[in-house]
Amino acid sequence: MDTEILARIQFAFTIAFHYIYPPLSIGLGLMLVIFEGLYLKTGDKTYEILTKFWLKIFAITFGIGVATGIIMEFEFGTNWSVYSKYVGDIFGSALAAEGLFAFGLESTFLGILLFGWNRVTPKVHFISTIGVFLGSMFSAVWIVVANSWQQTPAGYHIVGEGLNARAEVTDFWAMILNPSSVDRIIHTWQGAFLAGVFLVLSVHAYYITKGRYIELSQKAFKIALSVALVVSLTQLISGHSSADGVAKNQPAKLAAMEGHYESNGPADLYLVGWVDQELKKVYGLAIPGGLSFLVHQDFNTSITGLDAFDPKDQPSQVNAVFQFYHIMVSIGLF
């Protein structure tokens, strides 16, 4: 194991642990807006209790998210110093904007949210709840923009050569609205909503099965289940749109996700499978021409395979890409 692999493993664990919390805070932020909005509209104390309970959980997830996020950003410099120098002009603006929204807008309103129940009017408190929710969503935008730029870079040019080379912004809005950012932002928001909503569902399902806080939990469960139903169905649409973008902008990535090697002829859509990288073959259950249909609405249209790309431009572990992609889709559908 060389330094690069160790750096990847450390960064993977750091970012995977960190990423548990920001999506939860976005999803819980949505539920807080709904609960407090219902309290203001109906005057039902049940919704006030729900708001105050989930506000505590939100504050904990927000705090852990900030702490783990700081460690993650330090690792940009400690683990990927040359890369950070290369993309500093791109990432600097995006991460600075993220900090402004997360630490500025979100943290300010969170203070009012936590300590302002008896100090500000109900409407001002509700506006603060909306501010926290929007702040969490906006902070996600800039992180996703930075990630999307890595996938489909736009609005930049390269200055310098060798280790002194760096990417420099030439068009700020082209960089922000790069070809994959909008699809990825919408899909990420929806995933975050589901994360928070299913946390609410699971906690209140536990209370219902234990016979505790029945009335309160039934109300919360019905609301959360309604939100989950709508978002889970619309996420299928944004997921399909994201995959269309991958087919257009990153054909090698699409080919790896489906283990598709041969460019001549239609591509199958595998439900489950295993990629044999040496034989360049997938063993599994597939819908013949299914991938071609999803991309081109035609079962017989050809899809660019991995054979069209230089081996150095292919993933070193195609089966890993295939499995993680299919696990993600399976979890989403389930």
Side-chain angles (χ1 to χ4, degrees), residues 123-142:
K123 287 185 178 179
V124 170
H125 195 273
F126 182 56
I127 290 170
S128 299
T129 306
I130 295 172
V132 167
F133 172 54
L134 292 178
S136 65
M137 289 184 68
F138 286 140
S139 66
V141 167
W142 298 101

Side-chain angles (χ1 to χ4, degrees), residues 15-327:
I15 202 166
F17 184 71
H18 167 70
Y19 198 69
I20 294 169
Y21 300 99
L24 283 177
S25 67
I26 294 171
L28 290 178
L30 173 63
M31 295 307 298
L32 287 174
V33 170
I34 294 171
F35 288 148
E36 190 167 358
L38 287 170
Y39 169 57
L40 286 181
K41 182 179 179 181
T42 65
D44 188 339
K45 286 288 184 179
T46 301
Y47 295 119
E48 182 187 21
I49 295 169
L50 285 169
T51 304
K52 289 183 175 179
F53 173 77
W54 284 107
L55 178 56
K56 295 173 185 175
I57 309 300
F58 177 91
I60 293 169
T61 58
F62 177 78
I64 300 174
V66 169
T68 54
I70 290 171
I71 296 169
M72 182 191 69
E73 294 203 9
F74 267 108
E75 286 185 14
F76 278 129
T78 58
N79 294 28
W80 312 110
S81 55
V82 176
Y83 181 66
S84 295
K85 180 182 177 184
Y86 177 74
V87 296
D89 195 49
I90 309 290
F91 278 22
S93 55
L95 295 180
E98 190 272 338
L100 183 64
F101 281 108
F103 291 99
L105 178 65
E106 199 174 355
S107 299
T108 301
F109 282 120
L110 182 60
I112 299 172
L113 208 57
L114 286 170
F115 308 112
W117 280 102
N118 300 315
R119 293 180 174 87
V120 297
T121 64
K123 287 185 178 179
V124 170
H125 195 273
F126 182 56
I127 290 170
S128 299
T129 306
I130 295 172
V132 167
F133 172 54
L134 292 178
S136 65
M137 289 184 68
F138 286 140
S139 66
V141 167
W142 298 101
I143 294 296
V144 173
V145 162
N147 183 20
S148 298
W149 184 87
Q150 294 180 118
Q151 313 290 323
T152 52
Y156 76 105
H157 66 176
I158 305 298
V159 177
E161 296 179 353
L163 290 177
N164 293 318
R166 64 186 182 88
E168 192 175 83
V169 177
T170 56
D171 186 333
F172 180 76
W173 288 109
M175 184 266 287
I176 297 296
L177 300 173
N178 63 73
S180 66
S181 64
V182 174
D183 278 335
R184 189 171 278 108
I185 287 166
I186 293 170
H187 199 56
T188 300
W189 277 341
Q190 290 173 328
F193 294 159
L194 288 175
V197 166
F198 272 94
L199 177 62
V200 173
L201 281 172
S202 63
V203 169
H204 290 291
Y206 173 81
Y207 280 138
I208 290 169
T209 57
K210 294 297 180 181
R212 300 166 60 190
Y213 311 113
I214 296 293
E215 182 187 357
L216 183 146
S217 291
Q218 284 179 338
K219 287 183 178 180
F221 195 92
K222 288 175 182 177
I223 295 166
L225 191 61
S226 300
V227 176
L229 175 65
V230 173
V231 178
S232 59
L233 292 175
T234 55
Q235 196 187 41
L236 292 173
I237 299 170
S238 69
H240 176 68
S241 181
S242 294
D244 277 345
V246 171
K248 179 181 178 182
N249 301 306
Q250 298 171 282
K253 184 177 181 178
L254 180 72
M257 291 193 307
E258 287 295 344
H260 180 56
Y261 280 93
E262 297 180 3
S263 296
N264 323 331
D268 299 337
L269 181 69
Y270 282 90
L271 304 178
V272 292
W274 190 267
V275 181
D276 187 324
Q277 207 158 331
E278 290 186 8
L279 297 178
K280 299 182 178 180
K281 187 176 180 180
V282 182
Y283 301 95
L285 179 64
I287 300 172
L291 183 61
S292 296
F293 178 78
L294 285 179
V295 175
H296 298 292
Q297 291 73 56
D298 182 352
F299 284 99
N300 298 309
T301 304
S302 295
I303 297 285
T304 305
L306 286 170
D307 61 1
F309 304 96
D310 192 293
K312 69 181 178 62
D313 294 326
Q314 298 179 20
S316 58
Q317 297 292 332
V318 176
N319 188 50
V321 177
F322 178 95
Q323 299 302 339
F324 284 128
Y325 172 70
H326 283 77
I327 289 169

